[in-house]
Amino acid sequence: MHAIVIGASDRLGRLTAEAVLADRQATELVLVTARPDRLHDLASRGAIVRYGALSEPDELEEAFAGADRLLLTGTEGANRAAVDAAVFAGIRTVGYVSTINPSHSNPLSTAAVHRETEEYIRTSGLDWTFLRSAIHTETLLPVARCALASGRHVFNGSRGATGYVSRADCAAVGAAFLTSPDERHARMTYDLTGPEALTGEEVAHAVGLLGGLPITATPVDDTSWVASAVRHTGLPEERVWQWATQGVAARGGYTAAVSSAVRDLTGRPPRALPEVLGQLLRLVAGVRRDGGESGSGGARPGDRRGEPHLER
């Protein structure tokens, strides 16, 4: 069986490829990317690396040749080109990494493109599997560092909860889809979440325990959050408002789903937020110590640099 990961040089695509290669099953893995030079290490481990850019749809059919199954990791704006190329190349099944609850009422800025892509795939004639991912826990690393630096966790989700999931767990699910010996996942939709949904207050508490510091949960309204983010990051206000929709979605209950899909598809439970963030914080602290800086990533109580963080 030939399986393709498109976008294999991005973080989720690479992790998925590594999980497939580690599994050592009889799946011949093809990695399609616009940056083949970034995947020499995976090629040395047996992956077939092919050039393919979503901005060049005419070239994708050749890149997809000979494959049975495709995993599309949700590159915005070019998903239809990949689906069309999959149809012409004779691929039978496409897996699409979407977002939790991409309904018409979901205020999340990316919900519409994921919903439209799912609808397009359904009408393509391909078998499909939708892997609807919660927000990745790894995106909270800058949040945790800023909270430890300032003593405050600033968020605009009010009491809304989010079922943060590890990117590595999503990659393991993607690998399970690609290496499945049959079509058991055809026309199935899975919500990929962590073991629990956490509010902003609970995130603040978890970060405080990891850092051994008291962290004050500081809920703010959307306008205040955006103004603070623009001031501290220098990013354009329009882009910051897009990120702010994560908090809006949390308040509306759109991100609170918790499912057993990670365990069901991989055979092991999803990693909890403290485990994932704790490992990342230790890694960052170790790197900075090697670089001659001290402390928890250089964070000091009262230091408000970078607050707040923009996820994804």
Side-chain angles (χ1 to χ4, degrees):
M1 181 179 69
H2 288 64
I4 284 183
V5 177
I6 187 165
S9 60
D10 68 22
R11 285 174 291 185
L12 180 58
R14 168 174 275 275
L15 284 172
T16 303
E18 291 175 346
V20 172
L21 293 171
D23 199 40
R24 299 184 182 277
Q25 294 195 31
T27 300
E28 189 164 26
L29 181 64
V30 179
L31 307 179
V32 177
T33 176
R35 296 295 303 273
D37 56 300
R38 295 183 177 181
L39 301 179
H40 289 317
D41 60 321
L42 298 183
S44 69
R45 294 170 57 187
I48 300 169
V49 179
R50 296 176 181 170
Y51 174 81
L54 291 174
S55 59
E56 302 172 17
D58 293 342
E59 306 296 327
L60 286 178
E61 184 178 345
E62 181 177 350
F64 291 173
D68 308 293
R69 201 170 293 182
L70 166 71
L71 181 66
L72 178 61
T73 57
T75 303
E76 296 179 26
N79 295 318
R80 293 192 177 195
V83 174
D84 291 342
V87 172
F88 286 119
I91 288 174
R92 295 198 308 268
T93 304
V94 60
Y96 176 62
V97 181
S98 184
T99 192
I100 292 286
N101 191 4
S103 63
H104 284 82
S105 59
N106 190 337
L108 189 69
S109 64
T110 57
V113 68
H114 287 303
R115 180 178 65 252
E116 292 164 2
T117 301
E118 287 188 6
E119 292 171 352
Y120 194 73
I121 291 172
R122 284 192 181 97
T123 62
S124 68
L126 296 167
D127 275 338
W128 48 264
T129 302
F130 297 144
L131 307 176
R132 292 179 172 176
S133 173
I135 295 172
H136 292 155
T137 312
E138 289 85 350
T139 65
L140 289 177
L141 175 60
V143 172
R145 296 183 66 198
C146 288
L148 292 171
S150 66
R152 302 195 315 153
H153 171 45
V154 179
F155 58 97
N156 69 319
S158 186
R159 297 181 180 179
T162 298
Y164 297 103
V165 64
S166 164
R167 189 179 288 119
D169 285 333
C170 290
V173 170
F177 160 77
L178 288 170
T179 59
S180 175
D182 51 37
E183 299 303 318
R184 70 186 67 180
H185 303 303
R187 300 186 180 273
M188 297 291 290
T189 298
Y190 299 105
D191 287 344
L192 309 185
T193 76
E196 60 183 340
L198 301 176
T199 65
E201 289 187 358
E202 289 168 329
V203 170
H205 179 69
V207 171
L209 290 178
L210 288 171
L213 298 170
I215 304 297
T216 301
T218 309
V220 297
D221 60 37
D222 298 333
T223 301
S224 298
W225 190 89
V226 169
S228 180
V230 170
R231 183 170 64 253
H232 288 284
T233 67
L235 292 172
E237 183 173 334
E238 180 180 2
R239 181 179 177 187
V240 174
W241 271 110
Q242 292 177 349
W243 296 122
T245 62
Q246 290 188 6
V248 181
R251 294 200 305 267
Y254 292 94
T255 63
V258 174
S259 84
S260 62
V262 170
R263 181 191 291 270
D264 295 342
L265 273 71
T266 69
R268 57 178 177 77
R271 294 196 297 163
L273 181 145
E275 178 187 353
V276 178
L277 276 187
Q279 181 179 15
L280 291 172
L281 286 168
R282 289 191 296 272
L283 178 63
V284 169
V287 168
R288 294 185 71 87
R289 280 196 298 270
D290 290 344
E293 297 187 40
S294 61
S296 299
R300 299 185 301 274
D303 184 351
R304 302 166 66 103
R305 291 171 296 173
E307 174 195 323
H309 165 65
L310 308 183
E311 298 171 353
R312 280 190 176 179

